[in-house]
């Protein structure tokens, strides 16, 4: 049984470039969460969706960040333009019941 | 607003010794409480959760935690640790009446188990 799948696992890019992170939910799950983890700020919730609808995006840092769920099993997090301070590990998590969250392995983003 | 405090950033312990990782929370409403574990270069994995009922919650890998409402604590314990328990442990809280599980995480406690 496949868990949450994230791609790429590692991304190195230059400041100003567009970055797209991808997440595939576990089949049957209806909630999707995007988190960012840094040494300075710990684990922060960026946005979460329920049934493909964004419920709370108050954690999105600024307009450079956007997230979508084009269908029930897939989500993207886009940063445009990227900045060095966006360097972090980005996790997505899915949930079948709004209770237990299942995390993906993360994408380590480095912006030079 | 909710918040979670994990006072210990790092806890060193010898193999087979008991361990307690501390977690305190603040919230003005009823809460759900969670402990997650993160192994190196991996995502978070749920250890255990408290939603309601018995205040002593048992989880995977021999861990347990006790919800103490009067002390607003949810400390994680294991009677005998293994080398493989070396990892980062995160306590998290969500408000019990939101309908959606918006988690607020603590800063984490790194458990270091040595032989």
């Amino acid at each position: 049984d496949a868990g949450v799948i994230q791609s790429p696992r590692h991304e190195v890019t230059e400041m100003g470039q567009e970055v797209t992170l991808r997440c595939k939910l576990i089949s049957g799950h209806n909630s999707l969460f995007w988190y960012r983890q840094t040494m300075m700020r710990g684990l922060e919730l960026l946005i979460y969706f329920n049934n493909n609808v964004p419920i709370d995006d108050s954690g999105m840092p600024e307009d450079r960040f956007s997230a979508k769920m084009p269908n029930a099993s897939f989500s993207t997090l886009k940063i445009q333009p990227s900045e060095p301070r966006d360097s972090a590990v980005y996790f997505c998590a899915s949930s079948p019941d709004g209770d237990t969250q299942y995390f993906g392995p993360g994408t380590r983003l480095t912006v030079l | 607003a909710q918040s979670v405090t994990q006072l210990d950033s790092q806890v060193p312990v010898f193999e087979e010794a008991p361990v307690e990782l501390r977690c305190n929370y603040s919230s003005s409403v009823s809460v759900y409480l969670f402990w997650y574990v993160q192994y190196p270069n991996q995502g978070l994995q749920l250890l255990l959760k408290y939603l309601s009922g018995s205040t002593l919650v048992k989880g995977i890998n021999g861990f347990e935690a006790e919800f103490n409402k009067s002390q607003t604590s949810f400390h994680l314990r294991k009677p005998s640790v293994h080398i493989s328990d070396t990892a980062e442990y995160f306590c998290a809280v969500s408000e019990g009446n939101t309908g959606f599980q918006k988690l607020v995480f603590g800063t984490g406690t790194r458990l270091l188990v040595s032989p």
Side-chain angles (χ1 to χ4, degrees):
Chain A
D1 184 21
V4 174
I5 299 172
Q6 290 188 248
S7 64
R9 292 294 310 276
H10 302 273
E11 176 81 27
V12 180
T13 190
E14 293 188 346
M15 183 173 63
Q17 296 297 306
E18 177 180 295
V19 175
T20 299
L21 311 181
R22 297 174 174 80
C23 175
K24 185 176 187 302
L25 285 69
I26 294 173
S27 177
H29 287 195
N30 60 3
S31 296
L32 182 281
F33 306 80
W34 280 103
Y35 292 90
R36 178 172 66 176
Q37 186 178 38
T38 62
M39 289 293 293
M40 292 297 295
R41 300 176 66 90
L43 201 60
E44 304 172 278
L45 177 66
L46 300 177
I47 185 171
Y48 71 93
F49 295 82
N50 184 256
N51 292 325
N52 305 0
V53 176
I55 303 299
D56 186 340
D57 64 354
S58 60
M60 296 286 263
E62 47 197 274
D63 292 345
R64 297 185 297 107
F65 286 69
S66 62
K68 294 182 180 180
M69 274 197 78
N71 57 57
S73 61
F74 185 73
S75 178
T76 59
L77 178 68
K78 185 177 293 186
I79 308 172
Q80 167 62 22
S82 58
E83 297 182 2
R85 60 192 168 121
D86 301 330
S87 297
V89 181
Y90 290 82
F91 291 101
C92 70
S94 70
S95 175
D97 52 12
D99 179 358
T100 301
Q101 294 184 23
Y102 296 82
F103 282 74
T107 295
R108 183 174 297 276
L109 173 65
T110 302
V111 183
L112 303 174
Chain B
Q2 310 143 287
S3 67
V4 177
T5 302
Q6 292 181 249
L7 288 172
D8 305 307
S9 60
Q10 188 166 293
V11 173
V13 64
F14 289 109
E15 193 175 19
E16 298 183 7
V19 70
E20 179 179 83
L21 306 183
R22 296 182 293 169
C23 172
N24 288 88
Y25 69 91
S26 65
S27 176
S28 58
V29 298
S30 62
V31 295
Y32 296 161
L33 293 156
F34 305 81
W35 275 99
Y36 282 83
V37 61
Q38 185 179 28
Y39 298 103
N41 299 315
Q42 295 187 27
L44 279 71
Q45 179 183 2
L46 181 69
L47 271 179
L48 49 79
K49 60 187 177 185
Y50 171 79
L51 303 181
S52 64
S54 173
T55 56
L56 183 62
V57 180
K58 293 189 182 298
I60 63 171
N61 301 342
F63 284 93
E64 64 180 31
E66 185 157 19
F67 171 56
N68 188 319
K69 189 175 181 178
S70 63
Q71 297 186 6
T72 60
S73 68
F74 191 56
H75 300 332
L76 181 70
R77 296 191 294 259
K78 185 170 183 177
S80 176
V81 295
H82 302 290
I83 297 286
S84 60
D85 292 323
T86 295
E88 188 98 18
Y89 292 79
F90 293 91
C91 181
V93 62
S94 72
E95 289 185 350
N97 61 352
T98 61
F100 296 109
Q101 192 201 73
K102 182 174 180 178
L103 292 176
V104 174
F105 284 88
T107 52
T109 297
R110 185 173 299 275
L111 177 63
L112 297 170
V113 182
S114 54

